[in-house]
Amino acid sequence: MSLNIAYTFDRKSDYLAQGYSDEECGELDKDQTIDTIADTLRSLGHRVDLVGDIKALVNRLTAQPKPDWDLVFNTCAGWNGNGREAQVPAILEAYGVNFTLSDSAVMQKAYDKSVAKMVFEHHGVPTPPYAIVQPQSTLDPTDSTPAHTAIASSRHKDQLTRYPLFVKPAAESTGKGVSRNSKVNNPTELEATVAALQKKHSDQPILIETFLAGREFTVAIAGQGVHAWVLGVDEYVHTGISQQLGDSERSLDFLSFHRKMDGMDIVGEGRHEDLNNPLIRRVSEVALAAYRAIGCRDIGRVDIRMDSSADHATPFVMEINTIPSLAKGFSAYPQAAKGNGIEYEEVISTIIEEARIRTAHKVA
């Protein structure tokens, strides 16, 4: 079925041209990705209206005549606020327009990792023990050790006394705010890293977690509820990283922002995992449980890390991405799918088909 599809996106080059840094624009789409998605939609027989960002969308929705869209293909990450990924879905909901991917409530739950972890806990989905340092403006200004105060009030406080711990902003994606200082080995490093992140990300909580030292996977999922399924699983390998990265980045045993952006993180011959492998089945089951608990639809990506290198290690959910990047030949989601024999065009087609089935009563 040929659809009239509006395509909403945040163009990275527009923000770079305004003087924003590469890290600030880390979640936004490159020109090549936007062109590739649009071309793929057209190759699938759909008519494509290149709308752009949230402001362009509002202008189109309030103009006369109103646009005649069957569906909005949304990849907008948003720009302002801790709920920025939910903004475009919320507007489309208000105007009664069908769109791809999760609704605004799910986007908000998933984007704030501190909230997502509470949901995981409620549903019995394994997630690393954690504490939440609330935004700096809400804290006691005389408290010189806010990280330890947060740990003391956490239900996981006994598990957070052992180092190393891991510290990151609660409401960012693409590894923003994650650096070589995120893995802390003592109380002094913990408070220093929290203080630095509070200064840089003052409007959001800071998350403190136990550091998991086992294997790390990313799981590409499609569908909704009991009908969701795994498209592919890739492993992040923390050895053999390219010489193009500095020694401080190459020595890390976790993904920093720079390693993610340089695309050097998934390496080695065996990066694509066999979905029939017993370990990968366990990883996939946990990822699906997280996806369903949050309420994702159409597609999403779940990052998993094992708590040790032992055979009986437990898979823990690190985070869930409801708007996974779709950069062809680069991003984790399409790469994981390709490793399982699912080509890029089929990934895009799956997104449209899932949304079409879900909204069949509204799409002619």
Side-chain angles (χ1 to χ4, degrees):
M1 177 186 292
S2 177
L3 300 177
N4 188 20
I5 296 178
Y7 177 22
T8 52
F9 52 84
D10 292 308
R11 191 181 294 275
K12 183 175 183 177
S13 59
D14 289 345
Y15 288 84
L16 290 174
Q18 295 176 49
Y20 292 105
S21 70
D22 192 56
E23 181 170 0
E24 288 174 305
C25 301
E27 301 161 90
L28 310 185
D29 287 325
K30 295 181 179 179
D31 292 354
Q32 182 178 355
T33 299
I34 295 167
D35 293 343
T36 300
I37 290 174
D39 289 344
T40 303
L41 289 170
R42 294 187 187 102
S43 74
L44 293 170
H46 303 298
R47 299 175 297 280
V48 180
D49 185 348
L50 292 176
V51 174
D53 64 10
I54 189 170
K55 294 178 181 178
L57 174 64
V58 170
N59 287 338
R60 295 293 300 278
L61 289 172
T62 56
Q64 294 294 336
K66 293 186 181 300
D68 182 24
W69 299 327
D70 295 315
L71 189 69
V72 173
F73 190 98
N74 175 46
T75 64
C76 281
W79 187 254
N80 294 311
N82 294 338
R84 51 190 175 272
E85 285 192 348
Q87 291 167 354
V88 163
I91 288 172
L92 293 171
E93 287 164 356
Y95 277 86
V97 179
N98 297 327
F99 58 94
T100 59
L101 308 190
S102 296
D103 65 27
S104 60
V106 170
M107 292 282 188
Q108 177 59 43
K109 282 188 293 185
Y111 196 72
D112 187 331
K113 300 175 185 65
S114 62
V115 174
K117 288 173 78 70
M118 295 177 198
V119 175
F120 297 149
E121 282 192 319
H122 175 77
H123 288 275
V125 179
T127 190
Y130 66 99
I132 302 167
V133 183
Q134 295 299 338
Q136 192 171 29
S137 62
T138 70
L139 301 178
D140 179 356
T142 66
D143 185 357
S144 61
T145 57
H148 287 83
T149 300
I151 289 174
S153 65
S154 169
R155 61 184 296 187
H156 304 290
K157 59 184 176 183
D158 292 338
Q159 295 161 285
L160 295 170
T161 59
R162 297 184 295 273
Y163 288 85
L165 298 175
F166 199 78
V167 186
K168 59 187 177 184
E172 295 290 355
S173 67
T174 325
K176 290 168 69 175
V178 177
S179 71
R180 58 189 178 85
N181 296 322
S182 294
K183 183 180 178 182
V184 298
N185 297 294
N186 56 61
T188 301
E189 290 183 2
L190 171 61
E191 293 293 350
T193 298
V194 166
L197 288 176
Q198 284 181 317
K199 184 176 181 179
K200 190 173 183 179
H201 305 271
S202 59
D203 62 338
Q204 62 180 274
I206 305 300
L207 199 59
I208 303 169
E209 299 175 301
T210 56
F211 179 78
L212 304 180
R215 296 170 68 184
E216 187 169 359
F217 303 93
T218 191
V219 183
I221 298 176
Q224 184 176 14
V226 297
H227 303 294
W229 77 98
V230 172
L231 273 69
V233 179
D234 273 7
E235 180 174 4
Y236 291 119
V237 182
H238 300 292
T239 58
I241 304 301
S242 170
Q243 295 289 339
Q244 294 180 38
L245 291 173
D247 290 341
S248 63
E249 292 290 332
R250 293 179 62 245
S251 64
L252 297 179
D253 54 355
F254 59 89
L255 298 181
S256 67
F257 169 77
H258 291 295
R259 285 181 61 182
K260 278 193 173 185
M261 287 298 97
D262 287 341
M264 306 294 180
D265 309 297
I266 309 176
V267 297
E269 294 286 337
R271 70 177 189 177
H272 301 305
E273 299 295 335
D274 180 359
L275 299 186
N276 293 315
N277 179 298
L279 171 62
I280 301 307
R281 282 204 300 268
R282 285 198 290 129
V283 168
S284 297
E285 287 168 1
V286 170
L288 280 168
Y291 184 92
R292 291 166 177 152
I294 288 289
C296 290
R297 66 188 192 193
D298 299 349
I299 66 167
R301 201 191 76 239
V302 182
D303 292 336
I304 301 279
R305 190 152 190 177
M306 314 300 286
D307 61 350
S308 75
S309 58
D311 292 339
H312 60 273
T314 299
F316 282 80
V317 176
M318 304 297 293
E319 58 186 81
I320 187 166
N321 191 329
T322 53
I323 312 181
S325 174
L326 295 172
K328 186 176 182 178
F330 179 88
S331 296
Y333 190 97
Q335 289 296 91
K338 185 175 183 179
N340 196 36
I342 300 172
E343 294 298 332
Y344 188 83
E345 292 73 14
E346 188 173 350
V347 169
I348 301 300
S349 178
T350 295
I351 297 170
I352 298 298
E353 183 63 12
E354 285 297 314
R356 189 192 65 78
I357 293 171
R358 175 167 48 76
T359 60
H361 65 291
K362 298 173 68 177
V363 177

